[in-house]
Every structure is written in structure tokens, then in C-alpha cells.
């Protein structure tokens, strides 16, 4: 049984992330979507909010489980028995930063494999920070985030209520 882990800050989870999670779940037997603390970023949503939004978006995906982890990604993978880390690539700048992270993770845990999925072309422009910025000005985030999460994101982030 191949277990994979799709880690990220997911602040918030976007349609780009949803696409990668669903596609990854077809290539591994069990997928953990892992919400990790990124110490260098201040998050807009609490861990519980992020997890609940991801669970709502992935409702019905029987081989996906949403988890949280505060520590190293390689330790999270070990704890859950995952042998594959899934990351997504939107463009060449993602590639460069991912290579650096891969090198570090491989040094920490040589047995782990990192598998990259290219973003769907129509979702390449999406990022969590763009969602946060648009929502904070009350702009539409339709087509950026799962429909089921749209209202809560606007309510939480829109400066004009
Ligand atoms: N669709 C939409 N957005 C995407 C995306 C996709 N397919 N792929 C990447 N992104 C965006 C995210 O929205 C996010 O955008 P933002 O910066 O504008 O908010 C950005 O890419 C990076 O997000 P993410 O993939 O979640 O990475 P991250 O840098 O926030 O977190 C961790 C990466 C959590 C996996 C990493 O920090 C980690 O492993 N932390 C644990 C500590 C550790 O093990 N450190 C050692 C390894 S260096």
C-alpha cells in the first residue's frame, strides 16, 4: 500500500490545491493532506479553520485524510507511514524553491520520494496570498477556492465586513 502526503500551509486551500489532492489520490492508495505550520509565515486562518475548510472541500474522497502537523515534514511522513511526498509545480519559480526543499528533505530522510504534479494550466495563476488579498478587498474569489469555502473566506477576510 503506497501512502502519500501532500503538505502545505493551505492558508487557505484553493482550487489549485483541490486539483492536486484529487489527482494525487488517484496515484497513491492513501493520501494525507497535511496542514503544516510554516514558521516563516503568519497565517490568516487558524489551524482548525484550515482543516475544516479542506475537509469540506474533499468530502466524499474516501482515500484522503486531512491531518495537521507541527514539526518537520519528514517526521510527519514517518509518523503516518508515507513513502511519497506530493508537491505541485505551477511555474519555474516553484521548481527552484521545490528543488531546494527536496534536497533538504532527502538529506533528512533519503528513503522518501518527492513526486511533482504540474498544475492544470487554468489554475496556474492561483495562490493563497492572491485569494487573501482579493477577499480582503471584497473582490470575488469565485474560481479561486472551492465553492463550499467561499463564504467563510470572504466573511473572515473582507475588511468591509
Ligand atoms: N495551487 C495553488 N497554490 C499553490 C499551488 C497550487 N497547486 N502550489 C503552490 N501554491 C502556492 C500556495 O498557495 C502558497 O501561496 P502563498 O505563498 O501565496 O500563500 C505557496 O504556493 C506556497 O505554499 P505551500 O505549498 O503551502 O508551501 P509553504 O511554503 O507554505 O509550506 C511546507 C511548505 C509546509 C511543506 C514546508 O514549509 C514544510 O515542510 N514545513 C515543515 C518544516 C520542515 O520540514 N522544514 C524542512 C524542509 S525545508
Amino acid at each position: 500500500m503506497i501512502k502519500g502526503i501532500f503538505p502545505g500551509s493551505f492558508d487557505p486551500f484553493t482550487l489549485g490545491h483541490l486539483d492536486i489532492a484529487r489527482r494525487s489520490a488517484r496515484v497513491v492508495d492513501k493520501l494525507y493532506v497535511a496542514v503544516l505550520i510554516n514558521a516563516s509565515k503568519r497565517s490568516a486562518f487558524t489551524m482548525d479553520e484550515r482543516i475544516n475548510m479542506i475537509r469540506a472541500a474533499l468530502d466524499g474522497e474516501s482515500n484522503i485524510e486531512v491531518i495537521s502537523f507541527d514539526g518537520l515534514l519528514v517526521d510527519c511522513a514517518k509518523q503516518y507511514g508515507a513513502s511519497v511526498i506530493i508537491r505541485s509545480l505551477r511555474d519555474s519559480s516553484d521548481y527552484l524553491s521545490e528543488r531546494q526543499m527536496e534536497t533538504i528533505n532527502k538529506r533528512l530522510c533519503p528513503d522518501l520520494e518527492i513526486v511533482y504534479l504540474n498544475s492544470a494550466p487554468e489554475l496556474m495563476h492561483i495562490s493563497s496570498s492572491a485569494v487573501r488579498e482579493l477577499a480582503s478587498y471584497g473582490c470575488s474569489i469565485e474560481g479561486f477556492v472551492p465553492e463550499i469555502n467561499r463564504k467563510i473566506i470572504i466573511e473572515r477576510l473582507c475588511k468591509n465586513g
Side-chain angles (χ1 to χ4, degrees):
M1 181 169 183
I2 299 179
K3 293 182 183 177
I5 189 158
F6 174 36
S9 306
F10 305 123
D11 189 36
F13 193 71
T14 68
L15 282 182
H17 295 130
L18 180 64
D19 177 55
I20 298 295
R22 284 186 172 147
R23 286 164 52 203
S24 321
R26 282 189 235 128
V27 295
V28 295
D29 300 299
K30 169 92 186 182
L31 181 74
Y32 295 100
V33 175
V35 187
L36 273 94
I37 310 255
N38 184 337
S40 60
K41 287 183 178 174
R42 235 183 111 236
S43 51
F45 293 92
T46 66
M47 183 59 87
D48 281 350
E49 285 172 329
R50 283 180 274 164
I51 288 174
N52 289 339
M53 284 193 276
I54 301 170
R55 286 196 177 132
L58 290 170
D59 190 32
E61 302 282 341
S62 56
N63 67 334
I64 304 184
E65 193 176 326
V66 186
I67 58 169
S68 64
F69 197 82
D70 182 4
L72 289 174
L73 174 57
V74 294
D75 290 336
C76 179
K78 258 184 229 160
Q79 181 174 324
Y80 286 87
S83 54
V84 176
I85 293 175
I86 312 262
R87 295 289 290 169
S88 77
L89 298 176
R90 291 165 302 172
D91 54 25
S92 53
S93 68
D94 276 353
Y95 175 76
L96 294 177
S97 55
E98 291 300 329
R99 286 293 294 168
Q100 191 186 18
M101 207 149 67
E102 173 173 347
T103 308
I104 296 168
N105 283 326
K106 283 292 244 181
R107 282 183 77 124
L108 293 171
C109 186
D111 290 341
L112 268 177
E113 270 318 324
I114 293 88
V115 170
Y116 296 102
L117 295 189
N118 283 317
S119 287
E122 67 276 16
L123 301 173
M124 274 177 66
H125 60 289
I126 300 178
S127 68
S128 298
S129 53
V131 169
R132 294 195 300 272
E133 188 158 2
L134 289 171
S136 76
Y137 290 109
C139 298
S140 170
I141 50 171
E142 190 176 354
F144 283 74
V145 296
E147 190 54 33
I148 197 161
N149 301 145
R150 200 146 59 95
K151 192 161 170 268
I152 181 176
I153 294 171
I154 293 282
E155 279 173 1
R156 279 279 280 96
L157 298 185
C158 182
K159 289 169 187 156
N160 305 318

